[in-house]
Amino acid sequence: MEKLLENIAYCIEFGKVDQKTPYPPDMKGQEGADELTGQALNEGVTANEILGDALIPAMSRVGEKFKTNKIFVPQVLMSAKAMNASMAHLKPYFQSGEIE
C-alpha cells in the first residue's frame, strides 16, 4: 500500500496523468495518477489516505519547487492535471461525506 501511495505522489509531482500521457518522457507507457488512484481504491486504500499521504504531499513539493524556480508554470499545470485525474476518483467519497 505504501509503495502505491508513493507512486501516486510521484505521478502527481512529475505530472504523469495516465498511461496514454507521453509526459514526462521517462515515464512514457507507465501507469499514471489516474490508473494508480483507481487501483489504490480497489485495493482498499481509503480516499483519506490517498488524499493525505499522496496528493497533498506531492502538491506541496510541487509548490516548493515552483517557489525556488526549480520548475515552471508548464510543469505545475501538468501536476495539477494529474491531481485532477486522481481527484475524479475521490470526488464520490467527498460527495458521500466519507471525507471532508
Side-chain angles (χ1 to χ4, degrees), residues 29-92:
Q30 295 179 23
E31 291 182 324
D34 182 35
E35 293 91 357
L36 293 174
T37 302
Q39 179 183 340
L41 289 169
N42 288 337
E43 290 183 13
V45 180
T46 68
N48 258 341
E49 289 171 318
I50 295 169
L51 185 64
D53 296 343
L55 305 187
I56 292 172
M59 287 307 287
S60 291
R61 288 191 296 272
V62 168
E64 198 57 41
K65 287 179 179 180
F66 182 70
K67 190 173 14 172
T68 58
N69 293 321
K70 292 181 180 169
I71 63 171
F72 300 98
V73 172
Q75 290 95 342
V76 173
L77 292 175
M78 289 305 298
S79 291
K81 195 170 180 179
M83 174 86 167
N84 284 336
S86 286
M87 288 301 293
H89 290 276
L90 303 184
K91 188 176 181 179

